[in-house]
Amino acid sequence: SSFPGRKVAYATIQSNDEHATQQRVAKTEDGGLHWQELPLVNDAAAQEFGIGFVDAKHGWVGTATGGFETRDGGHRWVSAPLSPKTNKIRTHASDGTPMVYAIGTQVQLLETSSQAGQPPG
């Protein structure tokens, strides 16, 4: 799960239904009182893992096949260059400095610009 604000949060939804192809993300805008499911991708192989948001609109989801990015609060998702099985997406370094990094089959430092997914240098 990812909590980019006091009232906004996102969570991945994992399913063991091998026949389900539609992957979804859960979102709340009222601190968890109500949740809605947003479509991520229609692909049975894209089993969801980690999720992370830098603010209420911009975030990433890691799946078994790679990653997805949204810049509009989860309404539209596009493919992102995350490594397969990214299960941790963090938006701050341990000292609180804003920094987005992802851990899956490799460790990646993400840019909040359109050049997301670069390996750390």
Side-chain angles (χ1 to χ4, degrees):
S1 58
S2 180
F3 296 84
R6 293 186 68 193
K7 296 205 177 228
V8 177
Y10 296 87
T12 54
I13 301 172
Q14 296 180 347
S15 172
N16 291 325
D17 181 356
E18 60 190 48
H19 301 292
T21 60
Q22 182 63 57
Q23 307 299 323
R24 292 179 173 81
V25 171
K27 178 181 182 180
T28 182
E29 296 179 294
D30 60 9
L33 294 175
H34 302 91
W35 290 84
Q36 62 180 329
E37 291 185 6
L38 304 173
L40 175 66
V41 64
N42 194 4
D43 181 354
Q47 178 187 10
E48 296 174 53
F49 289 99
I51 190 167
F53 275 73
V54 292
D55 58 39
K57 299 217 179 264
H58 190 187
W60 297 265
V61 169
T63 76
T65 60
F68 294 90
E69 179 180 13
T70 184
R71 290 178 180 258
D72 64 4
H75 297 288
R76 182 173 170 267
W77 294 90
V78 295
S79 182
L82 292 179
S83 66
K85 300 182 181 177
T86 294
N87 63 357
K88 292 188 179 24
I89 301 170
R90 300 294 183 252
T91 59
H92 292 85
S94 61
D95 66 359
T97 303
M99 176 187 295
V100 182
Y101 60 97
I103 302 168
T105 56
Q106 61 180 300
V107 176
Q108 296 172 282
L109 180 62
L110 304 178
E111 300 291 331
T112 57
S113 70
S114 62
Q115 298 175 350
Q118 300 299 315

